């Protein structure tokens, strides 16, 4: 039985303007600095209580199933002076997947999909960062699922930074990318009578991140 077929209630950039060169034309690749990034340099972690690391996939060609991972570990670093030196490392615990349907979640953590008993973690580790706009970044990295590592590129948008009532610095980022799940060995599927797939090969990954600056350790 394909458990994606259940129908139940669920739980729970603007482009940069190139600076003008005196007596010349603007560089097509130049990016205006964003002054709001200046004080972001340092180590950060994702706040699970106010973040969502999730996915969405087309089901039966006509609707969308959405889910997320409830447990993960993270280490983030942002360099405001040179954003290309920024980096991210996020480990997700595959058994924590949540789509709002317990039987479907059990199917996802089983051998047909994530095989959490054999591969309890999936991981994204950045390899490079390119600033594409005042608030837009392309973060390339390695995504590892079921022991298979392949390159992906996240489109990351900087939302803003605040200091919360408890004195913690918080920064927001939205990221997304689309992968073909078969590239990571997630090949389980069944066919519809009309000839289409019950579960799309394409999966959209979504990173709605609220990051908290970590407290510097004493030297």
């Amino acid at each position: 039985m394909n458990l994606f077929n259940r129908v139940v209630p669920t739980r729970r950039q603007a482009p940069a303007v190139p600076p003008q060169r005196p007596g010349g034309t603007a560089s097509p690749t130049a990016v205006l600095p964003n002054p709001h990034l200046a004080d972001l340099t340092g180590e950060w972690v994702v706040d699970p209580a106010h973040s969502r690391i999730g996915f969405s996939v087309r089901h039966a060609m006509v609707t969308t199933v959405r889910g997320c991972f409830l447990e993960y570990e993270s280490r983030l670093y942002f360099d405001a002076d040179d954003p290309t030196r920024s980096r991210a490392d996020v480990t997700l615990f595959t058994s924590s997947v949540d789509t709002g349907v317990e039987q479907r979640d059990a199917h996802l953590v089983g051998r047909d999909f994530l095989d959490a008993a054999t591969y309890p973690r999936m991981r994204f580790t950045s390899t490079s960062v390119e600033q594409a706009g005042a608030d837009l970044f392309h973060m390339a990295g390695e995504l590892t699922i079921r022991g298979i590592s392949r390159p992906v590129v996240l489109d990351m948008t900087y939302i803003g930074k605040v200091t919360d009532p408890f004195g913690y610095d918080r920064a927001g980022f939205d990221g997304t990318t689309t992968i073909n799940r078969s590239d990571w060995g997630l090949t389980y599927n069944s066919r519809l009578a009309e000839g289409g797939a019950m579960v799309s090969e394409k999966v959209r990954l979504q990173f709605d991140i609220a990051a908290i600056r970590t407290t510097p350790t004493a030297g």
Side-chain angles (χ1 to χ4, degrees):
M1 178 178 66
N2 191 310
L3 294 173
F4 277 90
N5 203 29
R6 296 171 57 90
V7 180
V8 298
T10 58
R11 295 177 299 202
R12 330 186 243 229
Q13 77 218 138
V17 179
Q20 295 290 330
R21 296 178 178 176
T25 59
S27 167
T29 58
V31 175
L32 284 174
N34 184 340
H36 300 293
L37 300 177
D39 59 350
L40 288 184
T41 297
E43 301 280 348
W44 302 73
V45 295
V46 178
D47 175 13
H50 299 94
S51 304
R52 183 180 184 275
I53 300 180
F55 58 90
S56 60
V57 60
R58 187 72 70 187
H59 168 254
M61 302 174 61
V62 295
T63 189
T64 300
V65 169
R66 294 177 173 84
C68 63
F69 294 90
L70 301 179
E71 298 178 17
Y72 43 85
E73 298 173 344
S74 63
R75 294 187 63 184
L76 314 175
Y77 174 77
F78 190 82
D79 190 320
D81 295 324
D82 184 3
T84 63
R85 298 179 58 193
S86 302
R87 57 187 181 271
D89 190 344
V90 181
T91 298
L92 310 176
F93 294 90
T94 50
S95 63
S96 73
V97 68
D98 180 12
T99 66
V101 180
E102 291 185 6
Q103 287 178 293
R104 182 166 60 209
D105 295 346
H107 192 194
L108 286 173
V109 302
R111 296 183 63 182
D112 285 340
F113 287 99
L114 296 173
D115 194 2
T118 306
Y119 305 101
R121 297 172 179 83
M122 54 189 293
R123 183 180 184 185
F124 172 80
T125 304
S126 67
T127 54
S128 65
V129 177
E130 172 191 351
Q131 186 167 5
D135 298 322
L136 178 64
F137 303 86
H138 299 317
M139 177 176 283
E142 293 286 325
L143 177 63
T144 302
I145 306 174
R146 290 176 61 111
I148 299 173
S149 297
R150 291 190 177 275
V152 298
V153 178
L154 303 181
D155 291 330
M156 302 292 297
T157 301
Y158 170 62
I159 305 302
K161 172 188 169 294
V162 298
T163 301
D164 69 20
F166 303 99
Y168 291 101
D169 287 340
R170 293 180 174 271
F173 293 87
D174 282 348
T176 185
T177 190
T178 299
I179 66 171
N180 187 320
R181 61 187 176 89
S182 295
D183 292 341
W184 282 266
L186 302 173
T187 57
Y188 175 87
N189 218 333
S190 59
R191 310 300 296 181
L192 298 169
E194 292 80 2
M198 181 67 73
V199 183
S200 171
E201 292 292 309
K202 292 184 178 181
V203 180
R204 185 171 183 239
L205 305 181
Q206 300 151 316
F207 298 77
D208 301 324
I209 301 300
I212 301 177
R213 191 192 299 273
T214 58
T215 303
T217 56

